[in-house]
Amino acid sequence: MYNDKNKQKICPENINISRNSIRININCVEPNATIGEIKSMFHKSHPQWYPARQSIRLDPKGKSLKDEDVLQHLPVGTTATFYFRDLGAQISWVTVFLTEYTGPLVIYLMFYFRVPFIYAPKYDFTTSKHWVVHLACMCHSFHYVKRLLETLFVHRFSHGTMPLRNIFKNCTYYWGFAAWMAYYINHPLYTPPIYGEQQIRLALIIFLFCQIGNFSIHVALRNLRPPGSKTRKIPYPTKNPFTWIFLLVSCPNYTYELGSWLGFTLMTQCLPVAFFTLVGFIQMTVWAKGKHRSYLKEFRDYPPLRSPILPFIL
């Protein structure tokens, strides 16, 4: 039963530990306590499980409750039974993003400057004779410097952490593809695109247009969420023309990201870049569909004409 006194603790006798989860009968917590407060209380009695690695659910196979959920607003009786799952060691999103984006920036430059042990010794610290190679390096570096600055000054994360194992998976993906692309683009035997300057200039326009668009969307999304808040709102176009794509797409940041890499593929005419673009498109489509479904579920008045990532198509 809920206790009328303000007891900020979880009764030890109501904690049952099993192989895969911990069931918690909470009868020593105020009805207006939040899940975040319950996590903090649980952490005090079990220091090895800090709040970020806790998942508290109403059902063992259900979704994790949000930190801001209030106990008395949940579908529970006077005695609430929750299920706990350890999410494993956690790491901040900022740390993961800074690590996974710094890697490609540094790795690509190592191939661009042809440091020893990458190509034949006679090519050590030489430069390519093709101007598109230098342009590609500037575009690639610009992209990841932009991502690093956005991580530090633009993005507001709804979740502070992610599982520690993700940093190894993410870095393998970004660092590995950066090395693969850079090896061929900066290779001494690299040949420029078949249609020459016209193809390169068109690709550069596409790349820069989509980079500006991607940044504009990130700023618009930032402005939807006040500092320190987890509030979710429907994103709408602003006075910035690059945000008008919100009329047709739920996740235009992914649309512009795809466009940037299509431009880079056209610029370099390099197969590893095309493969990276394809893999990225598949992953971003999965994320966009998930976010689109979330919008539809959360907001009854969500604009019906929007597609997840490609207008009228996907």
Side-chain angles (χ1 to χ4, degrees):
M1 302 292 291
Y2 290 133
N3 197 313
D4 292 334
K5 296 181 180 180
N6 187 22
K7 297 181 179 180
Q8 296 299 307
K9 64 178 182 177
I10 295 178
C11 302
E13 64 272 16
N14 289 313
I15 300 176
N16 300 311
I17 302 177
S18 64
R19 180 180 178 183
N20 297 318
S21 65
I22 296 178
R23 189 174 65 182
I24 311 168
N25 290 308
I26 300 182
N27 60 1
C28 300
V29 180
E30 281 288 296
N32 60 357
T34 64
I35 294 299
E37 291 171 343
I38 292 173
K39 287 182 178 180
S40 298
M41 297 176 204
F42 187 67
H43 177 227
K44 290 180 180 178
S45 58
H46 296 78
Q48 71 272 32
W49 290 313
Y50 46 89
R53 69 183 292 169
Q54 297 178 33
S55 170
I56 294 182
R57 315 172 185 202
L58 289 173
D59 183 86
K61 296 182 180 180
K63 292 185 177 180
S64 298
L65 295 172
K66 299 177 181 179
D67 286 352
E68 58 268 25
D69 287 340
V70 179
L71 191 59
Q72 63 184 355
H73 296 158
L74 297 174
V76 296
T78 54
T79 299
T81 300
F82 294 100
Y83 295 86
F84 165 89
R85 180 165 296 176
D86 181 13
L87 297 176
Q90 300 288 299
I91 188 171
S92 73
W93 279 83
V94 172
T95 301
V96 173
F97 276 20
L98 292 179
T99 304
E100 69 186 32
Y101 295 156
T102 300
L105 180 62
V106 174
I107 290 171
Y108 194 101
L109 290 174
M110 291 173 61
F111 284 88
Y112 174 74
F113 289 112
R114 295 178 179 172
V115 298
F117 308 110
I118 295 180
Y119 304 112
K122 65 179 180 179
Y123 296 114
D124 290 352
F125 297 112
T126 59
T127 58
S128 174
K129 62 182 180 180
H130 304 299
W131 70 279
V132 66
V133 173
H134 308 299
L135 179 63
C137 180
M138 288 188 286
C139 288
H140 188 275
S141 299
F142 173 83
H143 175 74
Y144 281 102
V145 168
K146 166 183 164 293
R147 283 194 171 191
L148 290 169
L149 293 176
E150 287 177 336
T151 299
L152 293 172
F153 304 110
V154 178
H155 293 319
R156 287 176 179 159
F157 302 100
S158 57
H159 300 285
T161 64
M162 68 167 68
L164 178 62
R165 62 181 178 274
N166 283 10
I167 194 172
F168 302 104
K169 178 179 64 176
N170 292 10
C171 287
T172 298
Y173 171 76
Y174 283 105
W175 295 17
F177 265 115
W180 190 26
M181 292 188 296
Y183 176 82
Y184 285 100
I185 295 173
N186 297 287
H187 197 284
L189 300 181
Y190 171 80
T191 54
I194 189 171
Y195 294 107
E197 287 192 14
Q198 288 185 332
Q199 179 175 338
I200 297 170
R201 294 183 190 280
L202 174 62
L204 178 61
I205 292 173
I206 295 173
F207 177 83
L208 293 177
F209 178 88
C210 291
Q211 286 288 286
I212 296 171
N214 180 264
F215 174 76
S216 299
I217 298 300
H218 287 161
V219 171
L221 293 173
R222 168 194 168 86
N223 293 337
L224 283 178
R225 178 175 293 158
S229 170
K230 295 184 179 180
T231 303
R232 281 169 56 90
K233 299 178 183 178
I234 299 177
Y236 287 103
T238 67
K239 294 180 180 179
N240 183 342
F242 286 97
T243 67
W244 294 353
I245 193 175
F246 268 126
L247 293 170
L248 301 174
V249 174
S250 292
C251 302
N253 51 321
Y254 296 146
T255 309
Y256 282 123
E257 182 77 7
L258 173 63
S260 294
W261 286 108
L262 286 174
F264 195 70
T265 301
L266 184 65
M267 178 188 299
T268 59
Q269 198 169 295
C270 183
L271 186 59
V273 180
F275 189 68
F276 176 72
T277 302
L278 176 62
V279 174
F281 172 59
I282 294 173
Q283 180 61 73
M284 287 187 291
T285 299
V286 173
W287 291 335
K289 285 185 173 181
K291 197 164 188 178
H292 183 72
R293 285 193 299 267
S294 177
Y295 280 140
L296 291 173
K297 184 177 180 180
E298 186 172 355
F299 304 106
R300 293 184 178 181
D301 57 341
Y302 192 71
L305 290 180
R306 293 188 187 181
S307 301
I309 188 170
L310 297 179
F312 309 113
I313 300 175
L314 186 64

